[in-house]
Amino acid sequence: MSTIAFIGLGIMGSPMAVHLAKAGHQVVGYNLTPNRTGPLTEAGGTAADSIAKAVAGADVVAVMVPDSPDVEDVLAGENGVFENAQPGTLIIDFSSIRPDVTTELAARASARGFRLIDAPVSGGEAGAINAALSIMVGASAEDFAAAKPILDVVGKTIAHVGPNGAGQTVKAANQLIVAGNIQLLAEAIIFLEAYGVDTAAAVEVLGGGLAGSAVLNQKAQKMLDRNFEPGFRIDLHHKDMGILTAAAREAGVVVPLGAVVAQLMASARANGDGGLDHSGLLRGVERLSGSTSPTSK
């Protein structure tokens, strides 16, 4: 068993840290707002009031924070991981950030005697709670092997997809596919409702055919119920679509549908929906169709 410092106990990080504690690891959690540490301490972990205290004596540092600047601050900022962790520490960054930032941070980590892998996840809150996340890992073969026992506790589908930065690149592709599926599902539901069909029955039969998907299974009912309690916020998916479109431009790759969905995601934020689950893209379809959405939860 390892001593794990887990930094970032939000919607995703908290259940992941809990799984690690229940698996027998000694988990010390830190979150910028301390009221997030309750589930971890109830599971047998402990809470720290600083990054420095969390990483002291840790074999592994896990990071799950929202964006590239947050990861840079946690790792390389004043009183961050690089200043306080012991040499040889394995750093697993579960965050979804820019591939170039990951590559640069990995080089800086190596220069200071640390090992850093990028291991962004897919599956949302449900995947984190059920330890069923898909994890795409950018790392050396040796570092991937070292991290695998930790990843196995929180994930179900785990793949080593290349060197540092490759995990973030695959995650960007994942977010492109998910955003497109959510947008099209939202359009289909508004279309079905306009014709007064039995939408529950329609969703069931669509799920049994080629239109079926994990997105349909997890998000259709939320759309039908207009329950947009966040499992993965539009704010974060907007950030991810920015990563995707910027990386595609740098590679000279055209993503026309992705660019449109990125704009629709930006529109949702501009209309005050950033804190909703990304299934809340349905509200944008309603606005464009001139209809009024019931109050979202």
Side-chain angles (χ1 to χ4, degrees):
M1 294 294 114
S2 299
T3 299
I4 303 171
F6 205 109
I7 301 170
L9 301 173
I11 288 175
M12 301 290 289
S14 179
M16 293 169 71
V18 165
H19 287 308
L20 291 166
K22 288 182 176 180
H25 295 285
Q26 182 178 340
V27 183
V28 182
Y30 170 77
N31 198 69
L32 191 60
T33 52
N35 61 340
R36 297 290 308 186
T37 59
L40 175 59
T41 56
E42 290 171 11
T46 58
D49 59 9
S50 70
I51 291 174
K53 291 180 181 178
V55 304
D59 308 307
V60 177
V61 174
V63 180
M64 177 57 102
V65 293
D67 203 351
S68 302
D70 303 300
V71 175
E72 290 183 291
D73 188 51
V74 164
L75 296 183
E78 186 177 358
N79 295 317
V81 173
F82 289 172
E83 286 188 3
N84 293 283
Q86 58 190 4
T89 298
L90 175 64
I91 303 168
I92 304 174
D93 183 18
F94 289 113
S95 316
S96 296
I97 66 173
R98 287 166 36 197
D100 61 319
V101 172
T102 284
T103 303
E104 192 267 340
L105 284 171
R108 292 170 67 182
S110 179
R112 300 187 67 145
F114 305 117
R115 298 171 292 158
L116 188 151
I117 73 170
D118 47 302
V121 305
S122 179
E125 182 182 19
I129 291 171
N130 296 318
L133 295 167
S134 290
I135 308 177
M136 43 225 82
V137 183
S140 68
E142 180 182 4
D143 290 345
F144 174 69
K148 186 67 161 50
I150 305 294
L151 304 178
D152 284 337
V153 175
V154 298
K156 182 178 181 182
T157 304
I158 301 159
H160 181 206
V161 296
N164 289 116
Q168 300 296 353
T169 301
V170 176
K171 179 58 187 290
N174 179 88
Q175 296 304 79
L176 168 64
I177 295 169
V178 171
N181 280 350
I182 289 176
Q183 177 64 28
L184 287 173
L185 176 60
E187 293 177 14
I189 285 177
I190 296 301
F191 170 75
L192 292 169
E193 289 179 343
Y195 278 90
V197 305
D198 183 333
T199 50
V203 165
E204 182 179 0
V205 73
L206 289 172
L210 194 57
S213 68
V215 165
L216 187 148
N217 293 342
Q218 294 183 31
K219 302 299 181 179
Q221 195 60 51
K222 291 177 73 71
M223 292 181 183
L224 295 178
D225 295 341
R226 275 27 176 213
N227 178 1
F228 305 123
E229 187 71 25
F232 189 78
R233 291 182 285 116
I234 283 172
D235 279 336
L236 291 176
H237 212 141
H238 169 73
K239 176 262 298 183
D240 291 342
M241 293 306 290
I243 291 171
L244 179 279
T245 53
R249 183 171 60 250
E250 290 172 10
V253 173
V254 176
V255 285
L257 293 180
V260 170
V261 178
Q263 290 298 307
L264 292 168
M265 201 77 70
S267 174
R269 290 183 77 246
N271 280 279
D273 291 345
L276 302 182
D277 186 77
H278 49 183
S279 57
L281 285 178
L282 179 100
R283 287 164 54 88
V285 180
E286 289 182 315
R287 282 188 290 265
L288 289 170
S289 301
S291 56
T292 303
S293 175
T295 301
S296 298
K297 299 178 183 178

CSV table of all heavy atoms in Angstrom, one decimal, residues 8 14 58 63 78-79 114 189 194 203 212 263 278:
chain,number,residue,atom,x,y,z
A,8,GLY,N,-7.2,18.1,-4.5
A,8,GLY,CA,-8.4,18.4,-5.3
A,8,GLY,C,-9.5,17.4,-5.0
A,8,GLY,O,-9.6,16.4,-5.6
A,14,SER,N,-13.1,13.7,-4.9
A,14,SER,CA,-13.5,13.2,-3.6
A,14,SER,C,-13.8,11.7,-3.7
A,14,SER,O,-13.2,10.9,-2.9
A,14,SER,CB,-14.7,14.0,-3.1
A,14,SER,OG,-15.1,13.5,-1.9
A,58,ALA,N,4.8,11.4,1.2
A,58,ALA,CA,3.9,10.7,0.2
A,58,ALA,C,4.8,10.0,-0.8
A,58,ALA,O,5.8,10.5,-1.3
A,58,ALA,CB,3.0,11.7,-0.5
A,63,VAL,N,-3.4,14.5,-8.4
A,63,VAL,CA,-3.9,15.9,-8.6
A,63,VAL,C,-5.2,15.8,-9.5
A,63,VAL,O,-5.2,15.2,-10.5
A,63,VAL,CB,-2.9,16.8,-9.3
A,63,VAL,CG1,-3.4,18.2,-9.5
A,63,VAL,CG2,-1.6,16.8,-8.5
A,78,GLU,N,4.3,28.6,-5.5
A,78,GLU,CA,5.0,28.7,-4.2
A,78,GLU,C,4.3,27.8,-3.2
A,78,GLU,O,3.1,27.7,-3.1
A,78,GLU,CB,4.8,30.2,-3.7
A,78,GLU,CG,5.5,30.5,-2.4
A,78,GLU,CD,5.4,31.9,-2.0
A,78,GLU,OE1,4.8,32.7,-2.8
A,78,GLU,OE2,5.9,32.3,-0.9
A,79,ASN,N,5.1,27.0,-2.4
A,79,ASN,CA,4.7,26.0,-1.5
A,79,ASN,C,3.9,24.9,-2.1
A,79,ASN,O,3.1,24.3,-1.5
A,79,ASN,CB,3.8,26.7,-0.4
A,79,ASN,CG,4.6,27.7,0.5
A,79,ASN,OD1,5.7,27.4,0.9
A,79,ASN,ND2,4.0,28.8,0.8
A,114,PHE,N,11.4,14.1,-9.9
A,114,PHE,CA,10.1,13.6,-9.8
A,114,PHE,C,9.7,12.8,-11.0
A,114,PHE,O,10.3,13.0,-12.1
A,114,PHE,CB,9.0,14.6,-9.5
A,114,PHE,CG,9.3,15.5,-8.3
A,114,PHE,CD1,9.5,16.8,-8.4
A,114,PHE,CD2,9.4,14.9,-7.0
A,114,PHE,CE1,9.8,17.6,-7.3
A,114,PHE,CE2,9.7,15.7,-5.9
A,114,PHE,CZ,9.9,17.1,-6.0
A,189,ILE,N,-34.1,15.3,-28.8
A,189,ILE,CA,-35.1,15.4,-27.8
A,189,ILE,C,-36.1,16.5,-28.0
A,189,ILE,O,-37.3,16.4,-27.9
A,189,ILE,CB,-34.5,15.4,-26.3
A,189,ILE,CG1,-34.0,14.0,-26.0
A,189,ILE,CG2,-35.5,15.8,-25.3
A,189,ILE,CD1,-33.3,13.8,-24.7
A,194,ALA,N,-41.4,18.3,-29.8
A,194,ALA,CA,-42.2,19.2,-30.7
A,194,ALA,C,-43.3,18.4,-31.4
A,194,ALA,O,-44.3,19.0,-31.7
A,194,ALA,CB,-41.3,19.9,-31.7
A,203,VAL,N,-36.6,7.3,-26.4
A,203,VAL,CA,-35.2,7.2,-26.0
A,203,VAL,C,-34.9,5.7,-25.8
A,203,VAL,O,-33.8,5.3,-26.1
A,203,VAL,CB,-35.1,8.0,-24.7
A,203,VAL,CG1,-33.8,7.6,-23.9
A,203,VAL,CG2,-35.1,9.5,-24.9
A,212,GLY,N,-27.7,4.4,-30.1
A,212,GLY,CA,-27.4,4.1,-28.7
A,212,GLY,C,-26.0,4.5,-28.4
A,212,GLY,O,-25.1,4.4,-29.2
A,263,GLN,N,-18.7,26.6,-30.0
A,263,GLN,CA,-19.4,27.9,-29.9
A,263,GLN,C,-20.7,27.8,-29.2
A,263,GLN,O,-21.1,28.7,-28.4
A,263,GLN,CB,-19.6,28.4,-31.3
A,263,GLN,CG,-18.4,28.9,-32.1
A,263,GLN,CD,-17.7,30.0,-31.4
A,263,GLN,OE1,-18.4,31.0,-31.1
A,263,GLN,NE2,-16.4,29.9,-31.1
A,278,HIS,N,-23.3,19.3,-18.4
A,278,HIS,CA,-23.2,19.6,-19.9
A,278,HIS,C,-24.4,19.1,-20.6
A,278,HIS,O,-24.7,19.5,-21.8
A,278,HIS,CB,-21.9,19.1,-20.5
A,278,HIS,CG,-21.6,17.7,-20.1
A,278,HIS,ND1,-20.4,17.1,-20.5
A,278,HIS,CD2,-22.2,16.7,-19.4
A,278,HIS,CE1,-20.3,15.8,-20.1
A,278,HIS,NE2,-21.4,15.6,-19.4
